[in-house]
Amino acid sequence: MQKIPHFIFATAAFWLITISCSSSKTNSSINNGLKEAYHSDFLIGAALNTGQIEERNAQSNALILSQFNAVTPENCMKAEHIHPAWDRYDFTIPDKLVAYSQKNKLKLNGHTLIWHSQLPAFARRIQRVDSFKTFFENHINTVASRYSGKIFSWDVVNEALNEDGTLRNSIFLQKLGPDYITEAFRLAEKASPNTELYYNDYNNEQPKKRAGCIELVKKVQAAGVRIDGVGIQGHWHLGKVPFKEIEESILAYHELGLKVMITELDIEVLPRNFQGADVAQRMASDPSLNPYAQGIPDSILQQQATDYENLFKLFLKHKDKITRVTFWGVDDGQSWLNGWPVPGRTNYPLLFDRQLQPKPAYHKLMGLKK
């Protein structure tokens, strides 16, 4: 047998030591992400899709576990997915999400029990009021009770208000009347008594919608029904983040004895001709609306970083009132804003890019805690 020179053993040992040190550094970096930086301030969350819940991508899973200590399902707990037929529920992916959150010690926010959008087709076909009421009650009781003790919080009612603060003319209002919101919280409290119960909406930092949200909350409270907090979704736009209105809203909701969550945070960089997050709104496709299909200028990323930094300075100022900040997705490639309100665009609203690498905004947020 040929004798192996000593220098080969030495070289191999050198590389083994180098790899070990590199791995140690990587693990150290992974273990000191956003969730650790803000651990004494508020929870840091992300919305997860089915692939992430099922851990299909190891790199993505490592990123999630290094950065976040709270999760929200992007879609799998919405009624059209979890309750596809009158007498049938599909708990396959929600159960996996519960197991994933328990295994990794993540706070799980259920999203959402009552929402006018993404309803199963059968529910929209119900004509009789008593039958629709039965669907409403059975849905809340079945879903909320199944996950009682396993879910930290529920978005009980989602997006029930118009921009002027009046109640949206949804199928729930049409069939059940204006008290359906109070009844939803009553049923959720009974089915899942140890779960925090929230009302969630977009643009509810704007004065008129905020006033409607306050009125909604006061009505639930006056009925003696528990409501623990309000979620401000936080779908904001580059250079147009309404800092003044956000702060006023945090203070106003806190005055009602409520916890405040930022529940679906992203900062969009692409143009559109309206504000808000109404999934029913659309814009016609046009190349001018997709200016960064081949890549985004660093100047835009730097502006986004400044917006995120100023937002988190505000959140830290009111950390005694804010309990959670959740991003609506993990990376840019996952974001719903690639397909709404214009399909097929290339958007860049989150802290991590399509290669799962941190963007300037991430470094700004970490820098705030150094």
Side-chain angles (χ1 to χ4, degrees):
M1 185 171 74
Q2 187 177 4
K3 187 175 180 181
I4 300 174
H6 287 294
F7 77 87
I8 292 180
F9 286 113
T11 302
F14 168 79
W15 282 113
L16 281 172
I17 292 169
T18 302
I19 291 169
S20 174
C21 291
S22 173
S23 173
S24 181
K25 281 183 182 178
T26 301
N27 289 337
S28 174
S29 174
I30 281 175
N31 291 329
N32 290 283
L34 288 168
K35 67 177 184 180
E36 293 299 328
Y38 290 86
H39 75 278
S40 62
D41 306 309
F42 34 70
L43 294 169
I44 299 288
L48 304 187
N49 60 27
T50 298
Q52 292 162 334
I53 293 166
E54 293 186 330
E55 302 180 61
R56 296 177 194 170
N57 182 308
Q59 184 184 0
S60 177
N61 190 55
L63 178 63
I64 291 164
L65 298 183
S66 71
Q67 302 298 325
F68 306 108
N69 48 21
V71 290
T72 297
E74 194 172 31
N75 279 302
C76 72
M77 286 184 171
K78 292 171 181 173
E80 71 173 357
H81 296 286
I82 205 169
H83 191 179
W86 176 271
D87 57 352
R88 182 166 66 87
Y89 292 82
D90 185 350
F91 296 115
T92 306
I93 304 302
D95 281 358
K96 288 182 178 181
L97 176 58
V98 169
Y100 179 83
S101 67
Q102 291 178 332
K103 176 178 71 173
N104 295 298
K105 296 181 172 58
L106 303 168
K107 299 283 190 180
L108 174 54
N109 175 63
H111 179 79
T112 170
L113 289 173
I114 297 299
W115 187 31
H116 64 276
S117 189
Q118 291 187 248
L119 276 177
F122 82 86
R124 297 198 178 278
R125 294 194 296 264
I126 298 172
Q127 296 297 317
R128 291 168 56 95
V129 169
D130 58 344
S131 296
F132 192 84
K133 184 180 180 183
T134 298
F135 155 71
F136 174 83
E137 293 174 347
N138 286 349
H139 181 80
I140 295 174
N141 289 334
T142 302
V143 176
S145 63
R146 181 180 184 87
Y147 298 116
S148 180
K150 301 174 182 178
I151 281 184
F152 176 72
S153 56
W154 267 111
D155 293 331
V156 177
V157 178
N158 192 52
E159 300 176 6
L161 295 170
N162 295 313
E163 296 306 295
D164 64 359
T166 59
L167 288 179
R168 182 191 293 270
N169 189 29
S170 69
I171 191 171
F172 295 103
L173 183 64
Q174 294 166 12
K175 298 288 188 184
L176 304 177
D179 291 335
Y180 83 88
I181 297 170
T182 299
E183 187 60 21
F185 278 89
R186 191 192 314 275
L187 290 167
E189 180 181 11
K190 183 177 180 182
S192 192
N194 297 315
T195 303
E196 293 187 0
L197 308 177
Y198 304 150
Y199 174 74
N200 190 56
D201 214 328
Y202 62 85
N203 283 358
N204 57 341
E205 76 280 352
Q206 295 300 318
K208 289 183 179 179
K209 200 166 190 178
R210 180 202 310 149
C213 191
I214 289 171
E215 183 180 344
L216 179 157
V217 168
K218 285 182 175 179
K219 185 174 181 181
V220 175
Q221 292 175 327
V225 176
R226 178 164 61 85
I227 177 170
D228 297 299
V230 165
I232 300 171
Q233 288 186 12
H235 294 297
W236 292 310
H237 203 282
L238 186 72
K240 299 178 182 178
V241 180
F243 296 105
K244 176 176 177 290
E245 290 79 5
I246 295 168
E247 182 165 33
E248 289 171 350
S249 298
I250 292 169
L251 294 171
Y253 295 138
H254 179 70
E255 281 295 309
L256 297 174
L258 299 174
K259 299 176 182 179
V260 179
M261 289 71 56
I262 309 300
T263 56
E264 305 182 16
L265 181 59
D266 44 35
I267 296 180
E268 184 177 5
V269 302
L270 299 185
R272 57 182 162 109
N273 58 15
F274 65 92
Q275 297 297 313
D278 187 341
V279 295
Q281 290 186 272
R282 293 287 189 274
M283 291 173 61
S285 184
D286 185 293
S288 68
L289 299 176
N290 193 27
Y292 310 128
Q294 304 306 316
I296 186 167
D298 183 66
S299 60
I300 300 297
L301 292 179
Q302 295 299 333
Q303 185 179 358
Q304 183 187 54
T306 299
D307 278 353
Y308 267 119
E309 180 183 32
N310 288 333
L311 257 179
F312 268 68
K313 284 179 179 177
L314 178 59
F315 297 160
L316 288 170
K317 178 181 177 182
H318 296 290
K319 64 182 183 180
D320 59 322
K321 307 170 188 70
I322 295 172
T323 59
R324 172 168 57 92
V325 177
T326 291
F327 296 86
W328 203 242
V330 174
D331 66 272
D332 287 340
Q334 174 199 353
S335 173
W336 71 300
L337 291 168
N338 293 302
W340 178 91
V342 181
R345 295 204 293 180
T346 306
N347 219 322
Y348 304 80
L350 297 168
L351 300 185
F352 297 92
D353 66 20
R354 285 165 170 76
Q355 288 72 47
L356 305 180
Q357 296 304 304
K359 293 160 61 180
Y362 174 83
H363 296 299
K364 287 283 190 181
L365 299 192
M366 291 297 290
L368 286 176
K369 298 300 294 181
K370 287 182 179 177

